[in-house]
Amino acid sequence: MLREEQAIVLEMIAMNAPLGEILDRLVHLMEAQLEGVLGSILLLDETGHLRQGAAPSLPAAYSKAIDGIAIGPDVGSCGTAAYRRESVIVADIADHPLWKDYRDLAARHGLRSCWSAPILSHQGAVLGTFAMYSARVREPSPVETRLTEMTTRIAAIAIERKRAEEQISFLAHHDALTGLPNRSLLKDRLTQAMLQTQRHNPWVSVVFVDLDNFKTVNDSLGHTAGDALLKVIARRMVDCVKPTDTVVRLGGDEFVILLVDQLESPDAVSAILERIRVAITRPVPIEGQVFHITCSMGVATFPNDGLDAETLLRNADAAMYKAKDAGRDGFQFYTSEMNTTAHERLALQEAMRNGIARSEFYLLYQPQVDLQSGRLFAVEALVRWQHPVLGVISPAQFIPLAEETGLIVPLGDWVLREACRQNKAWQDAGLPPINISVNVSARQFHDRSWISRVKRALSESGLEARYLELELTESLLMRDVDQAIATMKELQAMGVHFAIDDFGTGYSSLSSLKNLPVARLKIDQSFIRNLANDENDKGIAAAVISLGQRLNMRVIAEGVETDEQLAFLRDNHCDEIQGYHFSRPIKPAAMEKLLKLPPSRQPAA
């Protein structure tokens, strides 16, 4: 009965039921297992106060009275549990010091004992509290303690998912690190500013800002220090402009400033830019070191330098590169003679294009293993780049550029064709047939010729479609669910399988996932990494395994490296694993040797 009720709650999470209904059902589930116990879930807000989440059986007057209490070192069981970030057990409210300000309230409603546990997020932040109340003086039994742990884990999943969905609207228009508007909001505000200019005739200037030598901060102190620096610089730029202006972070160390209602005077704009330049150059202390950073800025003005947002942004970007060429730490106004592309990016882009033609890219293969049988049943194809001068270039460096420039399409086509060819070659060599898994980018998947490209790769290689699996990310699928389903079903009809990669990182709608023709769910390695030591990771991983299988998907965990992780996944009936515990990504010849081994001589899963 308990497992069935847990499954219902998880399905409610999957179907995006209102959070209040999920928490109510969860509390009722707990109350049904015990006698004489009333449950309550309180949610912690941004101001440090606990707000009512669910208390279906507590007296309404009591729930109303504690709604909004601030957490603290002596605020009953719940306020103290949230403050301490640990469970607080009070066997007798009447004489316990933590309840000195609330014991009369509890007595009026017949509440004599209260045990509360904090609800913690995946990152360890306090989301709220779960409490059990009783009319008798007593402590919780071992069964009640286990129920508390189960309830807080599931509540954390529901609350985190809901909060993530609520953030989507904000994150769609703002930068997560600095809180500044992002590119999509910039285009909207720039369009509105241009319309206002046409009516009232002030200037609108677009300023492209790039921090000079920002890479040295990341290289010397790491990305955490780099992020801290970006937040300081962002705040300084905001302080230099009017409230009606807009400072935008495009990504990395690139910003755009939209100056509106300007006088028709380059001198007036120059005065603002100089103020920004000076502010940015002020010393920035980080982790015991003082950094001096400069910036290069390029300016394009409406309507002289462009009549639409894209043109203005492109021309401001060109002017910024001109400022870098002129020695950095300065600004340039756009002129029509400026080169419209950045030399370094062009060079890498051209090198990638040549690299595809010259066969500089190659594939490594990482085994995937069935946990029950220990059988190696599939491999994932992973692309690498052997540059003739620079050596092996990390995918983290060339994949984003390939996505941005569109080169991911020919590169992805090569990966797909080569993976299919290699798998068929293994089969032709008499090796046991296995599936091969290929990652698919958003640009590839949404390309109109994508289905025909997959068909051609299978036809040219001679590989049967049933031995090909395409890995898609949550975010890719959620862009246009209906179109994704149509594309996937056409390929599925041919025999191609699908997996969802990095599950849990895309904040997707699980109710949409239920309708997708997906055979496998890949748990993101961020949920696997700390399984041995993190109870929240254990709860989330177990819930994802249960949920995935309830959606009729096999579940594979990636990034499995330790015996402890493996043991947990076995105990929770995970279907499959991938990671260094079994094998690193290896070359085709090494994979062939591995496939030739009988299962008894292969590395143990």
Side-chain angles (χ1 to χ4, degrees), residues 174-196:
H174 291 80
D175 172 54
L177 175 66
T178 63
L180 295 176
N182 63 14
R183 186 186 295 269
S184 64
L185 190 53
L186 166 66
K187 290 184 177 180
D188 178 69
R189 292 189 179 177
L190 179 51
T191 300
Q192 294 299 317
M194 289 188 295
L195 290 174
Q196 289 293 325

Side-chain angles (χ1 to χ4, degrees), residues 181-237:
N182 63 14
R183 186 186 295 269
S184 64
L185 190 53
L186 166 66
K187 290 184 177 180
D188 178 69
R189 292 189 179 177
L190 179 51
T191 300
Q192 294 299 317
M194 289 188 295
L195 290 174
Q196 289 293 325
T197 296
Q198 291 171 348
R199 296 190 186 102
H200 306 294
N201 207 34
W203 264 19
V204 173
S205 295
V206 176
V207 184
F208 208 111
V209 183
D210 187 270
L211 303 184
D212 301 325
N213 300 316
F214 174 72
K215 187 174 182 293
T216 59
V217 179
N218 281 339
D219 289 346
S220 59
L221 289 181
H223 290 281
T224 300
D227 288 348
L229 176 69
L230 289 173
K231 287 192 270 192
V232 171
I233 297 301
R235 173 47 52 192
R236 290 180 181 180
M237 287 190 286

Side-chain angles (χ1 to χ4, degrees), residues 9 22-30 41 150-151 154-155:
V9 173
I22 296 172
L23 299 183
D24 265 7
R25 185 68 181 246
L26 188 57
V27 173
H28 276 305
L29 181 160
M30 180 279 302
I41 292 177
M150 177 274 294
T151 304
I154 297 179

